[in-house]
Amino acid sequence: MADVFKALADPTRRTILDELTDRDEQTLFEICSRLINKHGLSSSRQAISQHLEILESAGLVRTRREGRYKFHRIDTTPLDAIVTRWRPSSTTETGTGPDSVPPGNS
Amino acid sequence: MADVFKALADPTRRTILDELTDRDEQTLFEICSRLINKHGLSSSRQAISQHLEILESAGLVRTRREGRYKFHRIDTTPLDAIVTRWRPSSTTETGTGPDSVPPGNS
DNA sequence: ACGATAGGCAAGTGTTCAGTTGCATGTCAA
DNA sequence: TTGACATGCAACTGAACACTTGCCTATCGT
């Protein structure tokens, strides 16, 4: 699975996730149309397709094939690990090291 | 305030946040030393300094000047908006649009 | 079968970004 | 004041990235 953070780094990809949050199970052309009309973006179909590939390889978008249509839906489960990663551990860090020890190089 | 997502896109910056989570209120040199020793990264001091600037402009790191030392501490409050952004809205989206309407271009 | 629609593949281009290099500023101890 | 320490500023370089261009495959309706 590719980098979730790098997938979220691009504003266009975040807008795609916004669109999929607003309306799930959309095709590529549908997403393209709504990005242009609703969000004022001027991206080509190929650009959106590449963005969807990146989002899918990051686990943020899951696809479903049906005939010549390919439906995309958002999957927010990879986002949970982002916040939990930098939660402070229960070990009292700020209490152990007093401020009077500036350069504590290891 | 700069882009929080782009600040998180770089692996080195995420490791810096890991370090600040493990031990708060560190100076620039202290962070450099621990990144090299603990995390096996070979980044120069200037590179880390630029990373800290980006993290600070994104609101993820707050600084405190004291003489010639500048202490850095992590601030995880901008992370909360990431998960809440793509929470499905209470309006029943999947129920309104049946799956039998494939190309619903606006 | 034929045309139209939906999507995929791959090479090429311009920009953004991470990292380096070199020097400058400011602080502290002796 | 002198030297060592901690950090800041700015230009340059190389690589990653977003986007385009052009063509190809597959599915559906008539």
Side-chain angles (χ1 to χ4, degrees):
Chain A
M1 181 173 291
D3 200 334
V4 182
F5 298 96
K6 282 191 178 172
L8 292 173
D10 191 80
T12 305
R13 284 195 288 269
R14 295 196 293 266
T15 311
I16 291 176
L17 293 181
D18 291 337
E19 244 309 305
L20 289 178
T21 303
D22 183 52
R23 182 183 236 268
D24 220 351
E25 297 285 337
Q26 295 192 58
T27 67
L28 172 60
F29 273 73
E30 203 170 353
I31 295 173
C32 286
S33 304
R34 297 173 73 112
L35 282 182
I36 294 174
N37 297 328
K38 286 181 51 178
H39 303 272
L41 296 182
S42 62
S43 297
S44 65
R45 176 187 62 86
Q46 291 83 351
I48 305 296
S49 177
Q50 289 169 356
H51 282 311
L52 285 171
E53 283 184 31
I54 295 175
L55 287 172
E56 187 176 2
S57 67
L60 289 166
V61 162
R62 301 209 168 264
T63 60
R64 173 174 63 92
R65 251 246 128 88
E66 194 155 336
R68 56 176 163 176
Y69 299 119
K70 188 179 183 184
F71 298 97
H72 303 77
R73 62 181 181 85
I74 192 175
D75 186 6
T76 59
T77 46
L79 296 178
D80 299 332
I82 295 180
V83 185
T84 57
R85 173 167 178 175
W86 293 291
R87 290 238 183 275
S89 55
S90 54
T91 57
T92 321
E93 300 290 343
T94 49
T96 53
D99 290 16
S100 54
V101 187
N105 288 3
S106 64
Chain B
M1 182 173 289
D3 202 334
V4 182
F5 298 96
K6 282 190 178 171
L8 292 172
D10 190 80
T12 306
R13 284 196 286 270
R14 296 196 292 266
T15 311
I16 291 176
L17 292 181
D18 290 338
E19 244 309 305
L20 289 178
T21 302
D22 183 52
R23 180 183 237 268
D24 220 350
E25 299 285 335
Q26 295 193 54
T27 66
L28 171 61
F29 271 74
E30 200 170 353
I31 295 173
C32 285
S33 302
R34 297 173 72 114
L35 283 182
I36 294 174
N37 296 330
K38 284 181 55 178
H39 303 272
L41 296 182
S42 62
S43 298
S44 65
R45 177 187 62 84
Q46 292 83 349
I48 305 297
S49 177
Q50 290 169 355
H51 282 311
L52 285 172
E53 283 183 31
I54 295 175
L55 288 172
E56 188 175 3
S57 66
L60 289 166
V61 162
R62 301 208 167 265
T63 59
R64 174 174 61 93
R65 229 233 120 133
E66 195 155 337
R68 55 177 164 177
Y69 299 118
K70 187 179 182 183
F71 298 97
H72 304 76
R73 63 182 181 85
I74 190 176
D75 186 5
T76 58
T77 47
L79 296 178
D80 299 332
I82 295 180
V83 185
T84 57
R85 173 168 179 175
W86 293 291
R87 287 238 184 277
S89 55
S90 53
T91 58
T92 322
E93 299 291 343
T94 49
T96 54
D99 291 15
S100 54
V101 187
N105 290 0
S106 62

